[in-house]
Amino acid sequence: MDYAIIAAGEGSRLVREGVTTPKPLVRLYGVPLIERLINVFLNNEATSISVIVNEAMTEVQDYLQDLRIPVTFHLHVQSTPSSMHSFHALSRFLQGECFCLTTVDTIFREDEFRRYIRAFETLPACSFDGLMAVTDFVDDEKPLYVKTDEQGMIRDFTDRPEAGSRYVSGGIYCLRRAALHVLDAALTEGVSRMRNYQRRLIAGGLRLQAYPFSKIIDIDRPADIAEAERFLV
C-alpha cells in the first residue's frame, strides 16, 4: 500500500495560541505527529510513504531526513495554496493501484485504522473507487458533512448538516487510481480545497463508501493535544 501525508499547512491556530513547535513535530506521549503516522503506516504493510511539507518547515525537513524508514520514502518540499494542491504534488509518487492519504494532524486509534485498511483491501475493486473515513464525532470549526444512503455509499458532501448527513469527513482517504484522474482535471479547472475535490469525485461518478470510525480528532488548538492523549490511552 502506498501511503501519503499532507503536512504542508502552517498550523496558524496553534501558533496564535502560543504553540511554537511546527505542527508535524507536536508530540503525543513524546512522539511527534508525523512519526506516529509513519509508524502506523509501517505497521500496516506500507510499501512506500510520501510526505509533503512547506518550504518554511526546515526543522521538519531535518527531522524527517534523519529518520530511518525501511520502505521507499519521498519527502517533497513545496508551499501550496491548499491541501488539494498538496495532494496533487504527492500524486506523482503514488504508483500503485490504490493508496491511503491523510493529513498530519488526524488522530485515530490504530486498531480502528487497521480494520479500515483491511476493509479497503478486501472489498471487491469493481464495487467501489474509494473508502472514506467518517465519524459522528464533530470537533472541527468547519466540518465537511457526509451524506450517505442506507448501504453506506456516499451521495454528497455538504458544508451544513442535511438529512442523511450523519457523519463528517475524518480526513483519511483510501482511493484507487481513478481518483487521481479526477484530481488532475479538478486542478486544471481551477478547483481548490479538498472538500471541493471530494464533491468532484461524486460528480464524476466515482463510487465512494463511508467507513465509520468511533472518533477522529484534528489537532488545531492546544486543547486538542491533551484531548488526543486522553483519547489514545
Side-chain angles (χ1 to χ4, degrees), residues 56-73:
M57 287 183 174
T58 56
E59 186 178 351
V60 180
Q61 295 168 38
D62 292 342
Y63 189 89
L64 289 170
Q65 288 168 348
D66 286 342
L67 287 180
R68 296 295 178 261
I69 300 172
V71 299
T72 301
F73 178 67

Side-chain angles (χ1 to χ4, degrees), residues 11-20 141 220-224:
S12 55
R13 280 177 285 186
L14 284 172
V15 173
R16 284 198 301 268
E17 296 187 42
V19 177
T20 58
E141 292 179 0
D220 292 321
R221 302 171 300 271
D224 295 332

Side-chain angles (χ1 to χ4, degrees), residues 134 138 140-148 154-169 193-200 202:
V134 299
V138 183
D140 199 296
E141 292 179 0
K142 296 181 180 179
L144 178 64
Y145 292 89
V146 182
K147 185 181 286 189
T148 58
I154 298 175
R155 297 309 178 196
D156 200 4
F157 295 95
T158 64
D159 292 327
R160 298 177 182 81
E162 298 180 3
S165 57
R166 172 184 173 186
Y167 301 110
V168 296
S169 175
R193 304 189 70 192
M194 280 295 288
R195 62 181 56 203
N196 293 326
Y197 163 66
Q198 291 178 77
R199 292 179 178 120
R200 286 298 301 270
I202 297 295

